[in-house]
Amino acid sequence: MSPFINEAILLTQNPSSTLSCLHFPFHQQNPIFASACLVTMSDDEREERELDLTSPEVVTKYKSAAEIVNKALQLVLSECKPKAKIVDLCEKGDAFIKEQTGNMYKNVKKKIERGVAFPTCISVNNTVCHFSPLSSDETSLEEGDILKIDMGCHIDGFIAVVGHTHVLHEGPVTGRPADVIAAANTAAEVALRLVRPGKKNSDVTEAIQKVAAAYDCKIVEGVLSHQMKQFVIDGNKVVLSVTNPETRVDEAEFEENEVYSIDIVTSTGEGKPKLLDEKQTTIYKRAVDKSYNLKMKASRFIFSEISQKFPIMPFTARDLEEKRARLGLVECVNHELLQPYPVLHEKPGDLVAHIKFTVLLMPNGSDRITSHALQELKPAKTIENEPEIKAWLALPVKTKKKGGGKKKKGKKGDKTEDSSQAEPTEG
């Protein structure tokens, strides 16, 4: 998930700034020097070197990353039990992604960067996002908790992210928990059908709000769905969750061969999350276009470690030398060398659901490459009397192929669910 509202405002002030300049690896160079070189490259040079879905190798890397992150999600879900410590679950998710990606492309001449694209987060109940605590944290799961699991994997900078909501409860999910999850899931299914060439980002924003309202829920404000490119997890072409005078983004049209992370967060509350405690923030990303001469020794040490180990992807403070990290990170954030991903909360008692998926806009239609089956839902609210929403859900995800070419059998894990999952069953 994006760092929410601050980033949306930034985009309106300078849409071409920040994050779209990194499209290719620079693993064999000094990261600080390399990022400076990349920022000063001309637009033509960047365009020339950008790889997209027209390359079969790129599609393979996206789908390989997706297969790994889908399996990592399944692993974490299987370990989610009452009394399980959240930090242990987050570490297992990240370790699995590192292990699986580490086994790929071992014997190639040119080193290929691969690993965690977004640290595993498990945000519970009214916590909206980005909860990935430090090793010393004792927070554990309880029966009945609503868990939002969020994670990402990349291979050669081609990123697959996934977000899923699960209730720690045996049997069907009912009542308001079912409503808020069904709202997120149905909104995600509608978005899947509207994020297609020729449609605009504003079409998606309007539609998902109507879906949430049908379930008497709100889309959470400040969430951004991003176009992704090689080594760019949050590009400047975005879909805003809710439009208001404070958060505007430029209107954009979806195009063939683009990749998007579609991020849907719903709430039974007001949908206006707040930062309660800055100390809960543990996920950061290096701001490659910023520079500052850090004054503190601890800050210089930590920033050097970050530049070497995490030059472009978001990371967790758990992966840094923890004793120095907290002090050093503060100065780095204060001078905008790091972009924080804050832990945000709705009011106590509010319920929040999160569905995130990666979609490839292929010539033959949209290919959703990350997902996980939901528990059986029995929401109190339905979309039976919502003809517009039902019409959106009836739209095809794939387009019919011209000619009678033989259909290729896809790899396991590449399957895209074309049918509506407004009321999915347990898988």
Side-chain angles (χ1 to χ4, degrees), residues 153-211:
C153 171
H154 82 96
I155 294 171
D156 197 19
F158 298 106
I159 301 160
V161 291
V162 67
H164 180 74
T165 301
H166 179 82
V167 180
L168 212 56
H169 162 80
E170 291 293 329
V173 180
T174 60
R176 292 302 274 158
D179 288 342
V180 76
I181 298 172
N185 190 60
T186 307
E189 290 292 327
V190 167
L192 175 62
R193 288 154 175 79
L194 295 181
V195 178
R196 58 199 306 168
K199 290 284 188 181
K200 292 184 169 62
N201 53 356
S202 55
D203 298 332
V204 181
T205 302
E206 292 168 16
I208 62 174
Q209 290 179 75
K210 289 179 180 177
V211 172

Side-chain angles (χ1 to χ4, degrees), residues 5 126 128 176 180 209 212 216-222 241-242 244 265-274 345-352:
I5 294 167
N126 65 309
V128 175
R176 292 302 274 158
V180 76
Q209 290 179 75
D216 195 20
C217 294
K218 293 279 180 69
I219 294 289
V220 171
E221 290 186 8
S241 58
V242 179
N244 58 48
V265 187
T266 52
S267 173
T268 59
E270 294 179 0
K272 297 180 179 181
K274 290 182 171 55
H345 303 266
E346 283 277 71
K347 292 177 181 176
D350 292 342
L351 305 177
V352 179

Side-chain angles (χ1 to χ4, degrees), residues 21-78:
C21 57
L22 297 174
H23 299 299
F24 48 92
F26 45 95
H27 40 263
Q28 293 174 332
Q29 307 172 45
N30 179 285
I32 299 174
F33 174 76
S35 63
C37 293
L38 288 172
V39 170
T40 57
M41 285 177 65
S42 72
D43 289 342
D44 288 342
E45 286 174 309
R46 283 199 293 271
E47 195 69 28
E48 208 173 73
R49 300 177 78 167
E50 186 176 310
L51 294 169
D52 64 18
L53 300 179
T54 55
S55 162
E57 186 183 0
V58 167
V59 175
T60 298
K61 287 174 180 175
Y62 273 118
K63 291 192 172 185
S64 296
E67 189 172 355
I68 290 170
V69 84
N70 286 333
K71 287 178 179 176
L73 172 59
Q74 176 61 50
L75 171 69
V76 171
L77 266 175
S78 70

